[in-house]
Amino acid sequence: MPPYLLLMLLGIQALTVTAQEEQHAVKGVIVNTSDAVISGASVKEVGGTNATRTDAEGRFTLNLSTADATLQVSNIGYVTQEVLVNGQSTLQVILLETNEQLDEVVVVGYGTQRKSNVTGAISSVDMKQLESRPVVNVVEALQGTTPGLTIQQSNSQPGSRPAINIRGINTLNNNDPMVIIDGILGDIQNVNMADIENISVLKDAASAAIYGSRASNGVILITTKKGRKGTSNVSYDYIFAEQTPTFMPQIVDSWVYAELRNEALINSGRPTQFTSEQIADYRTNGPNANWMKEIYRTNAPQQSHNLSLSGGGEKTTYLISGAYLDQESMFEGPDYGLERFNFRTNVETEVSERFKVGVKAAYARNTLKDHAYWTEWLIEQATRMPSIYPIRNAEGGYNYPSGSNSNSLARLEQGGLRKSANDDLSGILNAEYKIWNGLTLRGMVGTQLYYNRLKENRKAIPGSGDLENRMTNGSQRIQNITSNLILSYDKIWGDHTLNAMAGYSYEGGTDNRFETFRLVDESNYDIMGGAQTANTGNQEWQHEWSIYSAFLRMNYNYANRYLIEFNLRDDISSKFRAGNRSAWFPSVSAGWNIAEENFYGADLKRIMPSAKIRSSWGLVGNNRIADYQYQATVNVSQGYNFGDTMFPVASFDAVNPDLRWETTQMFNIGADLGFLNNALTLSGEYYVNDTYDILIAIPVPGLFGGGTPIQNAGKVRNKGWELAARYQFRTGGVDHTISGNLSDSKNKVIDIKGTEWINGFDVNTIVREGYPIDSYYAYRWDGYFQTADEVAQGPHLDGITPKPGDLRYLDKNGDGIVKEDDDRFILGNRFPRFLYGFNYAVGWKGLDFSMFWQGVGQRKVWLRGESVEAFHNNNEGPVFDFHIDRWTPTNLDAMYPRLTVGAESANNAVKSSFWIENAAYLRLKNVQLGYTLPEHWTKRMSLNRLRIYTSIQNALTFSDMKGGWDPETADGGGRIYPVNRTFSVGLNLNF
């Protein structure tokens, strides 16, 4: 153990030297009128100095000066109560609730705090708001619920992973938050939502610095449920849903297509393709094919089952749960979709009054069956096909129109199968020993084993261009270990409260991957048996990492009025060389509960019974970089020919051995207010994050003769604000809850040493000082050329002569020629801003109704290719409804330029702001109607509770996006599986 940690632990233990052992002791539990335990409640001896607070289970132990002492029990949100001990050794105290909302216990790093005493930026997710959602994973349900938490669901394909971000973009590298499940790193996708007790989002340095080098992008803490003493409970939840796509591109009818195709050919100086008789026949007889609709099922079922048993006796509590999810794919084909099994057990037992142990184990199995191609290929091809071609021919076989050698439906139905089986097993053993009154030692060791197997059998399709039989096998095994030892001390004397904690932890992991493939003559058997030396290959990767950490937190509270917190963590990581591996991450925060001041009069307290301001500053780090970047790795290539012999060549990558941590300096200021006896609560935040020493590759002169090494050379500033409100009230016999949130963040590149770089091929983004990361970079559209005179006078693209009806672009430098090097603009970026969510829930005599709205106020999306361009890339299609409003000599103010094909489209197809869309949207994310049967009915069925309900997920969307594309998913070529709309029914049983 490092010397400084030993000194900290000894210092904390020394605080107990003055404690006096008393003659009389009492222990007990504090609960509310619903029999829910109350943690953090104050228990004081009236007329004495002995005092304590209840733990996470609502329990306390207190030494008294006399057996006939009187206890004062209080907690924010409850009526203060005095209890006569009268010689008893055990007590149960029931506190009556007030209307206050500040009694909530918030989960923080390595512990809990009362919400009223929190000084950092922490959001607790209202789990009731997520109940009964027909979603595949908890990430989908979190979207829009918490200010500053950005979740982008790009598609609903089984097995997809929504992107998660907390408070915007802080670095040019990985911006994923850290996810902790019951104290160890975990995969949020694999947690059964019915097992979750609490989700906390740590957003500033005061709350996240306790996790040090991995906290710069925020932390998500998930705590799972456990049993309660003296109760037993069996719960069963069932949901059945039907999935449909939220959006589908609107392709024009075949006769309209034929007319527009002829017009585009004429505009391009080519002969027409369709006669008037053919067009008339299309109008009368069709076909009106839509390949996009043909590759999707009309309805794809989805179902889930959750069963849990929980309870406890005098010493032991338990929870055992199991869950099953079956999400069928919306793609046509043989049994595509996702199956997931979850199992969890949480057991805790009190070995003695001072010592308790707990075991938690969780297992998730995800089995994913999918087609053997790439989804973007299927959608690209289906989008490009015009409505004149049915997807099947007259004989019922697959149609291969001219210019196409493949068929999306054929690939789905006959192209083979890709199957992956993912096992996620975690186990945690923890123990707690109460050394002395207020002094506790906790230990934990946990492990996670992730194992993935992949088998792919892609089959050749007769009559098409898909002639390759390819078989692939792969595996990945990840094992992580976490252990920590924590000493904590809690002391109350008079109006002073001190909470201190010091700990030491080790984490490490290994990642092994292997993949092999073969090209075979036929693939009827899904096995790679036998010897084969040609048309085969394999590759393997292995990574290891470890991190040693020491951490400290101290909280001081004076009369629930003045609050101070200090955090410190030291991380030593294997990702940097010796000498650069250690880094300190401190934070300090303070809060002022103004409503607790003596000058805060009764009249003001009636109006605003709670008011707190708080602020924090600190440093956090980012270690989400590739392993071994400080080491020179060897690359072996074919080398050179000498005579008839090829000699291999080995080379070393250019490296920088002096790499060190990326560091983010965070400042946050916030306020929490309560009105109407705290029935209405408001909170607001403003923050500034400065990340420096960002690891980037600075270009080097060509004379260097090697690759570009990584350097600590970048700086990014990210700032923003958050607002949240909640109001609970009652009208007659109707209960109402209204809540909402609004947040914004914006980043700016401050320093990259005067360099800049442009990324992408179809869509160009730029990283440049003074602008947001990955801003769109293109020409600025300046209307249409309306006449030949305008064409003659206006600026032209270099090497291209436009015609009336073509797009015109701004000439930034005024030289009359529009060129990439001189005339491109920065045109926004794809990251969403002004995110908001609104929830309304109402209940009356067993009936309940809720609706949740979610949206984005500002987002830019660059569409390209077949998602928006008519006859893209000299193909026969696509042509969408909005292409009908195209420029003609009689339609000068059109939505789309003149229709063209081939080389004639060169002017309009270049990268410009014309293709950048406003992707702001408002979505009715969930609407739900339920009914809970009266108690006298359920008792006859030996049930405690029975609720039935119906729900729609992604019910409505309002957006200005054109082409039928979803504003949340649209990006680039639109080659994305759609977000689904689900219609569901379900029931909740409790007995």
Side-chain angles (χ1 to χ4, degrees):
M1 181 177 294
Y4 59 82
L5 178 60
L6 181 60
L7 289 174
M8 286 189 290
L9 299 181
L10 291 175
I12 293 174
Q13 191 170 9
L15 292 173
T16 65
V17 171
T18 58
Q20 300 296 319
E21 185 174 358
E22 304 296 343
Q23 297 293 321
H24 308 283
V26 63
K27 62 180 181 179
V29 61
I30 311 298
V31 299
N32 63 18
T33 54
S34 299
D35 201 33
V37 298
I38 303 173
S39 61
S42 172
V43 183
K44 297 181 181 180
E45 181 182 356
V46 176
T49 60
N50 298 314
T52 188
R53 290 192 184 278
T54 55
D55 60 18
E57 297 176 348
R59 297 186 175 276
F60 70 91
T61 300
L62 185 64
N63 290 325
L64 305 174
S65 59
T66 172
D68 295 326
T70 299
L71 300 182
Q72 184 188 76
V73 183
S74 63
N75 197 54
I76 295 178
Y78 294 88
V79 177
T80 299
Q81 190 174 151
E82 290 192 351
V83 180
L84 180 63
V85 176
N86 198 23
Q88 300 177 81
S89 59
T90 59
L91 295 172
Q92 182 185 49
V93 181
I94 301 174
L95 293 185
L96 301 176
E97 295 90 343
T98 68
N99 289 327
E100 298 186 19
Q101 303 293 320
L102 303 181
D103 61 298
E104 176 184 351
V105 174
V106 177
V107 176
V108 299
Y110 303 106
T112 61
Q113 292 180 6
R114 285 196 303 168
K115 185 176 180 180
S116 60
N117 291 339
V118 168
T119 54
I122 303 176
S123 292
S124 287
V125 178
D126 183 358
M127 296 306 298
K128 290 183 179 180
Q129 191 174 321
L130 308 187
E131 287 181 352
S132 307
R133 296 274 189 93
V135 296
V136 177
N137 58 65
V138 66
V139 183
E140 295 179 39
L142 287 174
Q143 189 174 32
T145 61
T146 303
L149 181 63
T150 302
I151 293 174
Q152 299 179 79
Q153 186 180 2
S154 60
N155 68 85
S156 293
Q157 188 167 5
S160 63
R161 303 183 70 89
I164 311 174
N165 180 266
I166 297 174
R167 286 192 165 180
I169 304 297
N170 288 317
T171 177
L172 295 162
N173 297 307
N174 191 312
N175 282 276
D176 294 341
M178 184 183 189
V179 178
I180 304 292
I181 302 171
D182 286 334
I184 67 173
L185 290 171
D187 187 350
I188 193 172
Q189 295 273 117
N190 287 337
V191 184
N192 179 22
M193 192 162 68
D195 288 339
I196 297 176
E197 179 74 26
N198 177 278
I199 300 177
S200 290
V201 183
L202 314 184
K203 298 182 283 190
D204 71 336
S207 57
I210 197 69
Y211 291 106
S213 64
R214 292 164 292 178
S216 63
N217 300 319
V219 182
I220 297 176
L221 300 179
I222 297 177
T223 305
T224 58
K225 297 175 181 177
K226 57 184 180 180
R228 293 179 179 174
K229 293 183 177 180
T231 63
S232 61
N233 183 66
V234 179
S235 296
Y236 172 70
D237 301 314
Y238 171 71
I239 298 176
F240 177 81
E242 292 280 358
Q243 308 167 81
T244 61
T246 52
F247 279 79
M248 192 65 64
Q250 301 301 311
I251 298 175
V252 298
D253 290 338
S254 54
W255 66 272
V256 177
Y257 166 81
E259 288 184 341
L260 297 181
R261 177 70 176 175
N262 281 350
E263 181 181 319
L265 292 168
I266 293 171
N267 289 341
S268 304
R270 301 185 185 186
T272 59
Q273 180 178 346
F274 302 97
T275 66
S276 56
E277 289 79 11
Q278 286 177 304
I279 294 174
D281 183 59
Y282 284 147
R283 184 193 291 265
T284 303
N285 301 313
N288 287 316
N290 186 329
W291 284 37
M292 286 290 286
K293 292 183 178 179
E294 294 287 346
I295 65 174
Y296 293 114
R297 303 162 65 183
T298 304
N299 292 292
Q302 173 183 315
Q303 61 175 317
S304 65
H305 304 260
N306 289 281
L307 178 65
S308 70
L309 298 85
S310 63
E314 183 179 351
K315 297 289 186 180
T316 302
T317 62
Y318 65 89
L319 176 137
I320 301 173
S321 71
Y324 172 73
L325 169 76
D326 181 18
Q327 180 193 19
E328 296 191 20
S329 174
M330 289 189 288
F331 274 140
E332 292 285 358
D335 195 27
Y336 297 141
L338 170 69
E339 275 191 316
R340 182 168 65 231
F341 294 89
N342 286 88
F343 175 80
R344 177 176 297 277
T345 178
N346 293 347
V347 179
E348 190 171 82
T349 186
E350 294 180 3
V351 180
S352 68
E353 290 186 359
R354 293 180 177 271
F355 183 55
K356 65 181 179 181
V357 295
V359 176
K360 295 182 179 181
Y363 172 72
R365 157 62 74 91
N366 289 274
T367 302
L368 181 64
K369 295 180 181 179
D370 204 357
H371 57 85
Y373 286 83
W374 287 271
T375 294
E376 55 267 29
W377 286 13
L378 302 173
I379 297 176
E380 170 194 24
Q381 183 184 53
T383 306
R384 290 182 178 184
M385 282 299 156
S387 51
I388 61 172
Y389 298 121
I391 202 166
R392 292 185 181 274
N393 56 34
E395 292 76 30
Y398 301 107
N399 197 11
Y400 299 98
S402 120
S404 172
N405 64 355
S406 61
N407 182 298
S408 299
L409 187 60
R411 286 176 166 177
L412 286 169
E413 293 183 336
Q414 295 188 355
L417 182 70
R418 180 187 301 118
K419 182 178 179 180
S420 63
N422 306 317
D423 294 304
D424 186 349
L425 174 65
S426 64
I428 300 170
L429 174 64
N430 55 64
E432 178 180 301
Y433 181 69
K434 295 180 179 179
I435 301 172
W436 200 261
N437 187 23
L439 185 65
T440 304
L441 180 67
R442 290 180 288 145
M444 183 272 284
V445 60
T447 184
Q448 182 195 38
L449 178 63
Y450 176 89
Y451 188 54
N452 173 41
R453 283 93 59 215
L454 170 70
K455 294 187 71 173
E456 178 183 286
N457 187 353
R458 188 186 307 159
K459 298 182 179 181
I461 302 175
S464 77
D466 297 318
L467 302 177
E468 182 181 270
N469 288 309
R470 181 186 177 101
M471 303 182 71
T472 302
N473 277 1
S475 66
Q476 180 182 20
R477 185 182 186 277
I478 299 175
Q479 183 173 354
N480 297 324
I481 296 177
T482 302
S483 61
N484 58 55
L485 187 66
I486 299 170
L487 186 65
S488 61
Y489 180 72
D490 303 309
K491 178 67 175 178
I492 300 175
W493 66 100
D495 289 330
H496 307 273
T497 301
L498 175 67
N499 307 107
M501 176 195 74
Y504 183 76
S505 74
Y506 163 79
E507 295 175 65
T510 60
D511 184 348
N512 294 275
R513 308 182 194 188
F514 177 80
E515 183 176 294
T516 184
F517 77 90
R518 286 183 182 180
L519 302 182
V520 296
D521 293 332
E522 53 84 23
S523 58
N524 292 329
Y525 300 100
D526 193 17
I527 187 171
M528 296 179 68
Q532 181 174 330
T533 57
N535 295 321
T536 186
N538 59 71
Q539 49 189 337
E540 184 176 13
W541 307 264
Q542 180 169 326
H543 296 268
E544 296 182 356
W545 63 274
S546 64
I547 186 168
Y548 298 83
S549 307
F551 46 89
L552 168 71
R553 179 169 62 218
M554 299 187 70
N555 295 85
Y556 172 72
N557 170 352
Y558 176 73
N560 285 327
R561 187 182 308 164
Y562 307 120
L563 315 166
I564 297 175
E565 179 176 315
F566 173 74
N567 291 275
L568 181 65
R569 183 171 178 124
D570 177 26
D571 282 336
I572 303 173
S573 172
S574 65
K575 294 195 174 185
F576 302 95
R577 72 170 178 85
N580 283 354
R581 289 178 175 170
S582 178
W584 293 85
F585 300 97
S587 75
V588 61
S589 59
W592 180 23
N593 275 322
I594 306 172
E596 299 297 320
E597 291 285 0
N598 294 329
F599 63 76
Y600 203 86
D603 291 339
L604 183 57
K605 198 139 191 169
R606 278 193 296 270
I607 299 172
M608 189 166 59
S610 63
K612 179 175 67 175
I613 58 175
R614 49 190 166 75
S615 186
S616 67
W617 172 93
L619 302 177
V620 287
N622 181 21
N623 78 338
R624 290 173 182 81
I625 61 172
D627 296 318
Y628 317 122
Q629 289 201 65
Y630 69 92
Q631 295 177 317
T633 55
V634 180
N635 298 309
V636 180
S637 60
Q638 289 289 340
Y640 300 95
N641 267 328
F642 289 94
D644 295 330
T645 305
M646 173 71 73
F647 290 89
V649 172
S651 62
F652 292 88
D653 287 333
V655 298
N656 177 7
D658 296 324
L659 298 180
R660 58 187 182 275
W661 297 98
E662 291 184 6
T663 303
T664 301
Q665 176 180 266
M666 293 183 171
F667 170 78
N668 187 89
I669 187 169
D672 304 306
L673 307 175
F675 302 88
L676 304 176
N677 200 22
N678 285 321
L680 171 63
T681 57
L682 305 174
S683 66
E685 313 274 352
Y686 174 77
Y687 61 89
V688 179
N689 298 341
D690 286 315
T691 304
Y692 54 90
D693 286 340
I694 296 176
L695 292 159
I696 57 176
I698 301 292
V700 296
L703 293 174
F704 178 70
T708 304
I710 303 296
Q711 304 178 46
N712 292 96
K715 182 177 181 179
V716 170
R717 169 165 291 180
N718 180 47
K719 59 183 180 180
W721 50 266
E722 301 167 0
L723 296 172
R726 181 182 178 89
Y727 182 38
Q728 291 181 289
F729 62 99
R730 188 179 182 90
T731 55
V734 182
D735 294 310
H736 307 263
T737 300
I738 301 173
S739 61
N741 65 82
L742 174 66
S743 61
D744 182 39
S745 68
K746 184 178 181 181
N747 70 79
K748 181 170 67 174
V749 178
I750 302 298
D751 183 17
I752 48 175
K753 307 307 176 189
T755 64
E756 64 181 38
W757 53 88
I758 300 170
N759 303 314
F761 177 74
D762 293 325
V763 171
N764 287 151
T765 61
I766 189 171
V767 178
R768 174 183 286 178
E769 292 176 359
Y771 293 91
I773 298 170
D774 288 332
S775 296
Y776 291 137
Y777 194 48
Y779 299 126
R780 188 180 294 279
W781 174 48
D782 190 30
Y784 300 112
F785 288 105
Q786 301 288 7
T787 65
D789 287 341
E790 288 187 11
V791 171
Q793 297 173 11
H796 299 173
L797 288 168
D798 191 13
I800 298 176
T801 301
K803 294 180 180 178
D806 282 345
L807 303 180
R808 181 174 58 197
Y809 308 105
L810 282 177
D811 178 16
K812 187 191 295 186
N813 64 359
D815 64 358
I817 301 176
V818 180
K819 296 184 294 185
E820 283 192 349
D821 293 340
D822 302 326
D823 300 305
R824 285 188 287 182
F825 292 80
I826 289 180
L827 302 167
N829 62 84
R830 64 170 59 91
F831 193 79
R833 295 187 60 194
F834 305 109
L835 285 77
Y836 56 90
F838 170 79
N839 187 72
Y840 173 64
V842 60
W844 175 75
K845 291 186 178 180
L847 281 172
D848 62 87
F849 171 80
S850 66
M851 60 177 178
F852 175 62
W853 296 83
Q854 176 265 333
V856 169
Q858 179 179 310
R859 181 174 181 245
K860 300 292 185 181
V861 167
W862 186 335
L863 297 177
R864 59 152 304 277
E866 62 277 350
S867 64
V868 284
E869 296 176 35
F871 315 110
H872 166 66
N873 220 16
N874 206 26
N875 287 283
E876 289 189 80
V879 178
F880 300 117
D881 280 358
F882 69 87
H883 290 140
I884 296 174
D885 184 17
R886 76 282 185 198
W887 187 95
T888 66
T890 58
N891 186 27
L892 303 181
D893 188 23
M895 179 183 294
Y896 196 81
R898 71 187 180 105
L899 297 177
T900 54
V901 297
E904 194 70 13
S905 303
N907 181 87
N908 298 334
V910 298
K911 303 175 182 70
S912 76
S913 61
F914 179 80
W915 308 108
I916 298 177
E917 291 286 314
N918 175 15
Y921 68 90
L922 169 63
R923 174 166 280 164
L924 180 54
K925 199 69 180 176
N926 183 266
V927 59
Q928 190 170 143
L929 176 65
Y931 179 64
T932 302
L933 272 66
E935 187 176 353
H936 62 275
W937 289 6
T938 56
K939 283 186 175 180
R940 294 177 184 176
M941 296 181 283
S942 300
L943 298 174
N944 293 331
R945 183 173 182 263
L946 171 59
R947 176 176 178 263
I948 56 176
Y949 62 91
T950 182
S951 173
I952 306 176
Q953 186 79 0
N954 298 320
L956 296 170
T957 304
F958 301 92
S959 170
D960 291 332
M961 286 288 294
K962 64 185 178 186
W965 299 107
D966 190 303
E968 190 175 359
T969 66
D971 195 11
R975 305 168 188 173
I976 300 174
Y977 184 102
V979 167
N980 60 22
R981 178 182 293 114
T982 56
F983 302 85
S984 65
V985 294
L987 62 87
N988 309 127
L989 284 175
N990 189 288
F991 50 93

